[in-house]
Amino acid sequence: MHPTHRIMALLLPSSILCASLSLLGCDEGGSDADADANTYECETPFPEWETGGDGADVSGPPPAGQARAGRIGSEDQIPRGVKNNVDVGDVMLRNGKVMFVIEAPDESDGYNPFGGEIVHADLVGPDGEPLERNLFGESLHGISLKLVDPQSVTVVADGTDGGDAVVRVVGENRSMPLLDVAFGFIFEINHGVVFAVDYVLGADEDFLEVRFNMRNPINRWAYVNMIIFGSVQGDGLRFFTPEGGFDQDALAGTHRMYGYVGDEISYGFVDAEGQDLRYVMEESDFLVGEKSRTVPMESCTELTLPVIRLVVSGGGAETLLSVMRGIAGDVEPDKTYFDVTITGGGDALATRIHVTDAGGGYVTSIIADGEGIFAAALPAGDYLATAVLDGHAPVEDLAFTVGSTGTTVDIAIPQASTVTYGVVDGLGEPIPAKVIFFADDVPVSLPGSFGEKRYPQEASLYVFGSSASVTLPPGGYTAVASRGPEYEIDEQSFTVGAGETAALDLTVVHSVDSTGLLCGDFHVHSVHSADSSDPRGDKVRAAVAEGVEILVSTDHEWVADYQDDVVAEGLTDWIHGVSGSELTTFSWGHFNVYPQTQRPDLPNNGAVDWYYKDTPEVMALAHADPLDPIVQINHPRSGSFQGYFTTLGFDPVEGTVERPELWSTDFDALEVVNGEAFAEIEETTARDWFALLNMGLRFACMGNSDTHDFVSSEIGYPRTCLVVGHDDPSILTNDDIREKIRAMKTVVSGGILITAEGPGGEGPGDIVDAFGGTADFHVVVQAPAWVDALRLKVFVDGDLARTIALDGTTADPSNPTVRFDDTLVVATSDGADGWVIFVAEGDASLDPVVEGHLPFGFTSPIYLDADSDGGITPRMALPAI
């Protein structure tokens, strides 16, 4: 499970903890103030909200010193960027510095299904045209649960008079479904106030201001708090706060700004009244904060409240902080310049400089501007600078003092070394692989506030591909080449000096016989998930280097197809991509749907809309896709919001559920392991799995990585292998995948490959004649030399029937990869129908290839027909619903 899948804190602001009803205006008898408002209606109703029209022409830059707002009328007016979410009919605001687009009333992509939100935010160049750097994801602005579900998005001031350009969003105040169904206990207070939203762009501002036009239609005072903003970003943008730097664990509390910093563009949310913003919660990189003050409103009055400003700047934290200081009217200190060079020469422009105060408190981060200058506006004082350039040793804690007129700091980065490598297979042919470089001296561990990438196992570098040339600090290293758990690894030690080049020839030999199997990862995230920044092409290349042959796209609430990326990367001989999405309910579990039809005409490219629906209805909607998808239950025993069995209250011993309205058997696959070993789930998810099998349900067992970062959560650890009868991903089809999963033709490998066949060649999902109470199974356990495999377990009907030590005595002496190859006699339980699975385990981790993971492998069940009637009688009853 991804580490950010959590609520980091649940602060209790006054909007939640109502200590005094009269003081805070909290509603007696609960949160339904709208109903109560009917009793206290104002004598004179408010008029309809004022709306405008289509505004001015926004096809080109406005005159100098002016802003413009207008509706996009044609395709050629749509601004472009790294992310493109704009359509004809949306409304643009632009001046000589920045450009924004507000979505027209419609169903919207992302977590918020309403339109009327910001869908584009870019910088403008000297020619007045956008720089096409847009990376903006999604934001929401509301009061408690309530957002505006727009009936109109119009221009009420187009800026042609030299004043502000204003776009107004008017509509019904409705609860955002995600917050309502998943986090309603946080946002439960509703004061009865209604509002419309204005987006305001000044003629010469670097920000878009969000204002609420608020009305109190109740004949009593309202005390409005929980005025919230939400933000979901990604695509390489990193969380940043002035107080904690890039440390995501420092989000809680209050901050002057919540920022998202990129290399070429950055965004910041600041309070429009100059106050601090207060953290409310974060879940899977979906951040919610609030204004830090309560707004009192007298009965039957209205006001316009400046809520928040979305600041846009160039890349780097210092650039964003500088813009923020200008907005606040702070006096900008003189610049301190950093003269960065590399000893021995070289290009230092990619250096990142982190500045702390003398006590270690984070101050700023600096990257080179467009002219190659490193500069920061630092007040007088004592500081420490750390310079980081990939492939070079960092320069740490360089002390310097800034006077009243700034200064210049010289930073000399040590010279790097070069390492070239090539990886071949046992036949001497180039082959994609993962290469990890470990330094003899452990690399420096930089503070979390710096936000620098940390490789697992304190490695210096991870590289994916058959060959490359990389830079490393001088010194001694061990390079480890691997290609997943079917290949042997190659370890080579070497020493390389500054300015020198070392050349490595690495070989990975395919030692595990996987004939007839194709192995895949059926739970993979990339840039379309808010909590992953992995480019899709990089994900495909990394998967190939890990020996993964099937890759399923399962981004949160977004349908995409990895086969498009496989084709674009020219890797169809190595891997087959599948379309799909992760149905992320945040309410009663997560589910993968694949293969799935991409529908650009629908929100989220056709992802299933789960809001306000129960499990059976959502399962039916998923299966109704023309591609007849597999529905897979993910990590069913994870915490609240994410684990289906946890939310369901499923008791595998009693065979009962606490929430019967959520019960459904309309699924095809169960993710038994999610980035963990079988031993870690043997008493939890495995017990659920066993109980469902005993109830007579037929579904495939799956093991997946749930990778969000292909370095820190390796693709294909574990992986699910399908018994397809050939070894060529280029001829595999989605129909093949669907057929094999529904036939339960799966085995899971977490480093160990285990296969089992009955006397007639029966495999996973098949029925074996066990008349007489026993059946013979040919079991083979394989693992490369670097993988530990110590025991073989036999489970019959969910009970451990036998454990066999894998001492190699039954293995093929000519092939040390084979740890067990023998026939086992399996007895039925009580002479009745049942099933058997085989599990292999080791105790030593998969280091250095995969940090901290224990090796294992297991099969889907093979059924035991004790009475030879050709069917299997369930051993447990389904829950009474």
Side-chain angles (χ1 to χ4, degrees), residues 441-525:
D441 297 323
V442 176
V444 171
S445 180
L446 299 173
S449 59
F450 290 8
E452 293 293 338
K453 188 175 187 65
R454 297 179 179 178
Y455 291 100
Q457 307 177 82
E458 298 183 316
S460 297
L461 185 64
Y462 276 54
V463 189
F464 300 85
S466 59
S467 63
S469 178
V470 300
T471 56
L472 291 169
Y477 292 88
T478 297
V480 179
S482 66
R483 195 170 190 276
E486 294 183 21
Y487 287 75
E488 300 299 333
I489 63 176
D490 190 359
E491 297 187 50
Q492 294 186 22
S493 296
F494 64 95
T495 300
V496 61
E500 297 179 351
T501 298
L504 304 177
D505 295 317
L506 301 163
T507 302
V508 292
V509 177
H510 191 217
S511 61
V512 172
D513 183 3
S514 59
T515 302
L517 301 177
L518 288 175
C519 301
D521 198 333
F522 296 77
H523 194 165
V524 176
H525 294 273

Side-chain angles (χ1 to χ4, degrees), residues 227-277:
I227 300 170
I228 65 167
F229 78 95
S231 180
V232 187
Q233 307 300 328
D235 300 311
L237 297 174
R238 297 178 295 158
F239 279 124
F240 177 83
T241 63
E243 297 80 8
F246 296 96
D247 187 353
Q248 193 163 328
D249 291 332
L251 291 176
T254 59
H255 296 276
R256 289 174 289 153
M257 175 184 68
Y258 283 100
Y260 297 87
V261 172
D263 293 336
E264 293 189 312
I265 194 167
S266 301
Y267 303 106
F269 291 94
V270 298
D271 186 88
E273 297 180 300
Q275 302 179 8
D276 284 350
L277 294 170

Side-chain angles (χ1 to χ4, degrees), residues 660-703:
E661 76 279 5
L662 297 180
W663 172 257
S664 174
T665 61
D666 191 16
F667 62 93
D668 307 284
L670 174 66
E671 191 176 67
V672 178
V673 285
N674 173 286
E676 69 254 295
F678 184 84
E680 298 174 75
I681 56 89
E682 187 170 341
E683 298 303 321
T684 55
T685 308
R687 292 297 160 193
D688 298 324
W689 177 32
F690 297 163
L692 294 173
L693 293 175
N694 282 333
M695 292 174 184
L697 299 179
R698 291 180 59 87
F699 53 87
C701 69
M702 311 294 285

Side-chain angles (χ1 to χ4, degrees), residues 2 434-438 452-464 524-525 532-535 538-539 541-543 545-546 705-717 848-853:
H2 191 255
K434 174 172 69 178
V435 181
I436 309 175
F437 293 92
F438 296 94
E452 293 293 338
K453 188 175 187 65
R454 297 179 179 178
Y455 291 100
Q457 307 177 82
E458 298 183 316
S460 297
L461 185 64
Y462 276 54
V463 189
F464 300 85
V524 176
H525 294 273
S532 173
S533 292
D534 286 352
D538 289 356
K539 207 83 174 192
R541 290 191 295 273
E546 298 280 13
S705 68
D706 194 3
T707 172
H708 288 70
D709 180 301
F710 59 79
V711 171
S712 62
S713 56
E714 288 90 342
I715 301 171
Y717 290 91
V849 176
V850 187
E851 181 183 24
H853 285 252

Side-chain angles (χ1 to χ4, degrees), residues 44-65:
T44 303
F46 286 103
E48 295 291 327
W49 295 106
E50 179 185 352
T51 59
D54 291 338
D57 179 10
V58 289
S59 59

